[in-house]
């Protein structure tokens, strides 16, 4: 089963609506695919947040405020029936607002993450296709780092990982997920690793996060005020080794 097919079925799996055979096929895919497993987890979290919100009863103070606002608009119609109806409506309005904001927040966080990762992979692939995309070709971090001066509003740390078998190939300024950032190119045998560096701007990784998209492995982490996103078709284990070294050498 392919990811696209599995994703389509996650909702039905969550709701226990799948035929046993299909269910088994999806579960088998989830075992092998951390991406889809993560998507299911996120779906679970979102749905349980919504379920909780639906059970939410407006606190008395909020209910009173909404009631007052509604009654002010209906001077003279203060019958018992009206008050009951508006009390119900007040609770309902609160539920809709809360449910909507939770769902929106969950969806937008997920979308933002996914967008940044997809964009990073796309930028990495573009750089593989276009050798001219390199801004500065150098294996010396003392050349590469100053090269960014005046081109970006931050200064990326550039580590020398040549002794560990990850030579620096060059760097460029790239535009990814709606912002300019530093793209550092490292090599490993015939593989290329692009490390995108940008200010973290509130989006911080407490621990490095590993994902994969379209056959590329991605590791994201925060070091100091900067977020790093390494993308490569290098195997996950060696990319983790690379990310660990990078963190060690650029960490403050
Ligand atoms: Zn999958």
């Amino acid at each position: 089963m392919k990811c696209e097919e599995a994703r389509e079925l996650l909702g039905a799996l969550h709701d226990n609506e799948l035929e046993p055979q299909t269910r088994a096929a999806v579960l088998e895919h989830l075992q092998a695919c951390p991406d889809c497993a993560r998507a299911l987890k996120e779906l679970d979290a979102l749905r349980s947040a919504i379920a909780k919100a639906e059970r939410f009863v407006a606190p008395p103070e909020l209910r009173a405020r909404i009631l007052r606002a509604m009654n002010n608009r209906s001077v003279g119609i203060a019958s018992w029936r009206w008050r009951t109806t508006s009390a119900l409506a007040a609770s309902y309005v609160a539920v809709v607002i809360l449910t909507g904001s939770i769902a929106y927040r969950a969806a937008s966080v997920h979308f933002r993450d996914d967008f940044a990762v997809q964009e990073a992979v796309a930028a990495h692939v573009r750089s593989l296709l276009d050798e001219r995309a390199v801004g500065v070709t150098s294996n010396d971090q003392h050349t590469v780092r100053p090269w960014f001066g005046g081109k970006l509003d931050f200064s990326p740390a550039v580590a020398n990982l040549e002794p560990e078998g990850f030579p620096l190939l060059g760097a460029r300024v790239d535009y990814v997920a709606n912002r300019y950032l530093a793209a550092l190119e490292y090599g490993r045998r015939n593989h290329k690793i692009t490390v995108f560096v940008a200010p973290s701007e509130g989006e911080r990784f407490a621990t490095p996060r590993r994902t994969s998209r379209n056959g590329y492995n991605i590791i994201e982490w925060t070091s100091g005020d900067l977020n790093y996103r390494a993308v490569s078709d290098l195997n996950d284990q060696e990319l983790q080794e690379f990310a660990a070294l990078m963190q060690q050498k650029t960490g403050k």
Side-chain angles (χ1 to χ4, degrees), residues 178-192:
N178 301 325
R179 110 174 292 299
Y180 287 101
L181 36 67
L184 311 173
E185 299 285 3
Y186 287 88
R188 177 71 156 189
R189 298 185 302 277
N190 54 342
H191 300 274
K192 229 160 101 173

Side-chain angles (χ1 to χ4, degrees), residues 3 29 33 36:
C3 288
H29 179 85
C33 178
C36 289

Side-chain angles (χ1 to χ4, degrees), residues 78-129:
S79 71
W80 177 83
R81 180 186 283 266
W82 166 252
R83 266 178 294 154
T84 312
T85 311
S86 35
L88 276 173
S91 306
Y92 181 70
V93 167
V95 167
V96 168
I97 292 170
L98 192 72
T99 308
S101 74
I102 287 176
Y104 174 76
R105 230 176 308 143
S108 65
V109 163
H110 178 234
F111 177 75
R112 201 179 57 210
D113 283 3
D114 215 42
F115 176 63
V117 169
Q118 292 285 12
E119 282 268 291
V121 170
H124 172 70
V125 173
R126 276 199 306 272
S127 79
L128 297 178
L129 296 175

